[in-house]
Amino acid sequence: MPHSSIGQGYATLPSRFYARTQPTPVAAPRLIALNRALAGDLGLDADWLAGPDGLAMLAGNHMSQGMDPLATVYAGHQFGHFSPQLGDGRALLLGDVVDRHGLVHEIQLKGSGPTPYSRRGDGRAALGPVLREYLLSESMAALGIATTRALAAVATGERVYRETPLPGAIVARVARSHIRVGTVQFFAATQDEPGLRALADFAIARLYPQAALAEQPYVALLQGVVAAQAALVARWMLVGFIHGVMNTDNMAISGETIDYGPCAFMDTYNPATVFSFIDKRGRYAYTNQPTVALWNLTRLAEALLPLLAEEDTRAIDLAQQALAAFHPHFHAAYFSGMRAKLGLVGEQDEDETLFKTLLDLMEREKADMTNTFRALGHAGVLSGQDVAPTGLPASFGPWLARWRARVAQQGGADWAARAQAMVGVNPCYIPRNHKVEAMIKAAVEHEDYAPFHAMLHVLATPYVAQPGMEHFATPPGADEVVPYTYCGT
Ligand code: AMP
Ligand code: MG
């Protein structure tokens, strides 16, 4: 590939960390989407990627020079149950690239054929889940939330067999690192302390370089992951994102959102919302996400125990201290995000009650989460000139009065500027699930990618209202709601 700095850092780790595996070529690859902006940021030649050699690489039909594809091994708790060996069953790490800021990123193909970790799977991905991942991960990035990115999507020209035959596709994913909590768990579960140490050293060098300077680098690594995950989940909560399958093998220690399977954004505000069809007990419901994140981090801390201190009690003590920082980090990120969403400056004791009252009202009124926050950021609503602001039920009146009083205390009467700031943090467009499903249906059933490209374009600037695109900001009608999502694996 025409790039100055392609390499494969993960291959410098011991060979028991991965299996060198070539992708399985596909019959008739066709480029569905290429993320030219991302390619540019990564110093990749977008024209080359869009050409025959680039397509051959993105389809897994021909590996460019310097690429050393490998499937990584990991373990993981899936819905609370430990699987001692998972691994990249349908993904291959192609190599690293260095972006314009000098940061290393990994490029991975997902859906590129079987690997030694495929178990009973076919190593392939269906078009629908590939488009969902592409669109939702790019939407997250545009919202300013840490995430893996989508570099390209390729149709394979082959069928994959799920319950029915479906068109196959491959997504090229980019991440700072694909190391998961489950990767650390694999080396802990196999009691491979040298492996655990090598993995932690690699993670520190690549993701948490400041931890190397700390007195206890492995404790600092754990602290870094706790802080990154707390901030990430707070951001999810602020936009109504539901990951759907927060197993420990789907949680990246980099703090990037990873593994867009049954994920979705909620329309109507309801903390109990669950989309994933298989999540019958609501383990990964919207409101449980911070608790689950801490549960996963506790599994990470357990796995890291042998590195934290010589003595067990000391190691446990250090782990507990690191985990105790989750709640303060989460609350700081969540409350500062809420203050920004509501245009509040400074901190007041009653702010948390103000947030809670609003959320309770939204739940009771079955209000659309995104549009409620968006409506609050209109100067008329903010200043109290719109007595009955559009989009907000009349029952919001008393709350609006309290909120305006709180805003007024901040001083300054530049309502327009304040409203502008609110609009800049309350998105107009999220990938609404009924729209995502309609987009997938058009592509899968009619090979019509126009809805995919249109949605991708709108979601690229989610804070800017775009004329003619109102339907992307409209909640589903009663007959349009798509209540379930599927892993699609
Ligand atoms: P997920 O629930 O998608 O995070 O996947 C859990 C595990 O199953 C991971 O180890 C995946 O690599 C593996 N997996 C999922 N789908 C497939 C597939 N179609 N072929 C092989 N392995 C798969
Ligand atoms: Mg996964």
Side-chain angles (χ1 to χ4, degrees):
M1 179 161 49
H3 186 282
S4 52
S5 52
I6 189 100
Q8 178 72 284
Y10 212 77
T12 63
L13 288 163
S15 60
R16 62 187 184 282
F17 280 60
Y18 48 81
R20 285 208 157 80
T21 309
Q22 289 296 319
T24 306
V26 298
R30 207 164 58 80
L31 192 64
I32 299 168
L34 174 66
N35 192 337
R36 286 182 169 268
L38 178 63
D41 287 345
L42 297 175
L44 299 169
D45 181 344
D47 290 331
W48 182 87
L49 282 170
D53 294 342
L55 178 60
M57 184 198 85
L58 294 168
N61 282 6
H62 180 77
M63 288 295 95
S64 304
Q65 237 189 345
M67 287 197 162
D68 187 10
L70 46 92
T72 74
V73 68
Y74 51 82
H77 275 92
Q78 300 179 303
F79 288 92
H81 301 286
F82 188 64
S83 296
Q85 196 187 302
L86 297 165
D88 294 324
R90 54 168 172 166
L92 288 172
L93 217 48
L94 296 189
D96 302 335
V97 288
V98 181
D99 74 11
R100 55 173 89 241
H101 309 292
L103 289 179
V104 181
H105 299 260
E106 294 176 346
I107 302 182
Q108 194 192 58
L109 295 185
K110 185 169 169 183
S112 52
T115 78
Y117 311 118
S118 296
R119 295 173 294 165
R120 285 180 300 281
D122 60 1
R124 293 298 186 191
L127 176 62
V130 163
L131 295 180
R132 179 181 286 272
E133 166 147 1
Y134 195 119
L135 189 86
L136 268 78
S137 65
E138 285 307 300
S139 169
M140 288 292 259
L143 287 165
I145 300 175
T147 177
T148 63
R149 302 290 303 271
L151 177 64
V154 170
T156 60
E158 295 179 356
R159 303 250 138 210
V160 297
Y161 297 89
R162 298 297 178 254
E163 262 136 47
T164 49
L166 294 167
I170 296 172
V171 60
R173 167 164 87 180
V174 175
R176 288 278 290 119
S177 165
H178 287 83
I179 297 173
R180 299 133 192 280
V181 167
T183 318
V184 185
Q185 287 181 289
F186 175 83
F187 294 98
T190 50
Q191 299 186 351
D192 177 356
E193 203 178 310
L196 192 62
R197 197 174 294 275
L199 181 67
D201 289 340
F202 181 85
I204 288 172
R206 181 154 294 191
L207 302 171
Y208 297 94
Q210 70 286 6
L213 310 172
E215 216 167 288
Q216 296 167 298
Y218 302 120
V219 176
L221 169 65
L222 178 59
Q223 290 168 335
V225 181
V226 168
Q229 280 293 335
L232 177 67
V233 177
R235 297 296 308 275
W236 292 355
M237 300 304 279
L238 292 164
V239 294
F241 176 75
I242 301 167
H243 182 284
V245 60
M246 288 176 72
N247 294 333
T248 58
D249 55 309
N250 290 337
M251 187 185 212
I253 65 165
S254 62
E256 294 164 295
T257 310
I258 193 169
D259 276 5
Y260 288 81
C263 58
F265 284 70
M266 72 180 164
D267 299 293
T268 303
Y269 181 79
N270 178 354
T273 305
V274 178
F275 281 94
S276 175
F277 187 73
I278 60 168
D279 190 5
K280 296 291 183 202
R281 293 169 157 209
R283 179 181 172 92
Y284 300 135
Y286 170 77
T287 192
N288 288 351
Q289 296 185 123
T291 308
V292 171
L294 179 57
W295 192 90
N296 289 349
L297 290 165
T298 307
R299 305 289 82 77
L300 174 68
E302 282 167 2
L304 287 172
L305 281 178
L307 304 186
L308 299 184
E310 289 272 321
E311 222 187 305
D312 284 358
T313 50
R314 176 82 184 125
I316 291 169
D317 211 33
L318 289 166
Q320 281 173 341
Q321 283 173 34
L323 292 167
F326 179 85
H327 281 300
H329 280 305
F330 175 80
H331 286 123
Y334 180 75
F335 290 132
S336 79
M338 267 301 219
R339 283 193 179 87
K341 282 172 89 70
L342 293 179
L344 307 185
V345 178
E347 293 180 22
Q348 292 189 12
D349 289 345
E350 309 84 73
D351 289 351
E352 289 178 28
T353 317
L354 197 65
F355 303 153
K356 176 88 174 68
T357 318
L358 174 62
L359 295 175
D360 288 347
L361 260 178
M362 280 164 50
E363 183 180 356
R364 194 162 350 118
E365 294 290 346
K366 300 188 169 39
D368 183 83
M369 181 180 183
T370 304
N371 290 353
T372 299
F373 282 107
R374 188 75 180 178
L376 295 175
H378 284 293
V381 177
L382 194 57
S383 62
Q385 280 160 7
D386 286 354
V387 181
T390 42
L392 296 177
S395 60
F396 275 56
W399 182 86
L400 285 170
R402 279 174 56 197
W403 171 59
R404 286 186 193 115
R406 164 69 173 87
V407 175
Q409 281 171 22
Q410 290 164 200
D414 192 350
W415 301 110
R418 194 156 291 157
Q420 184 101 41
M422 285 177 66
V423 160
V425 292
N426 289 309
C428 185
Y429 306 109
I430 51 158
R432 292 183 181 272
N433 200 39
H434 67 298
K435 288 289 190 185
V436 174
E437 291 291 338
M439 170 284 280
I440 289 173
K441 194 167 152 66
V444 171
E445 293 180 10
H446 308 291
E447 279 185 65
D448 176 8
Y449 294 103
F452 168 73
H453 289 291
M455 228 174 143
L456 194 62
H457 182 76
V458 169
L459 292 167
T461 47
Y463 299 104
V464 182
Q466 299 159 52
M469 297 298 156
E470 292 77 12
H471 62 107
F472 284 116
T474 309
D479 55 338
E480 289 175 309
V481 175
V482 182
Y484 292 117
T485 52
Y486 301 87
C487 278
T489 48

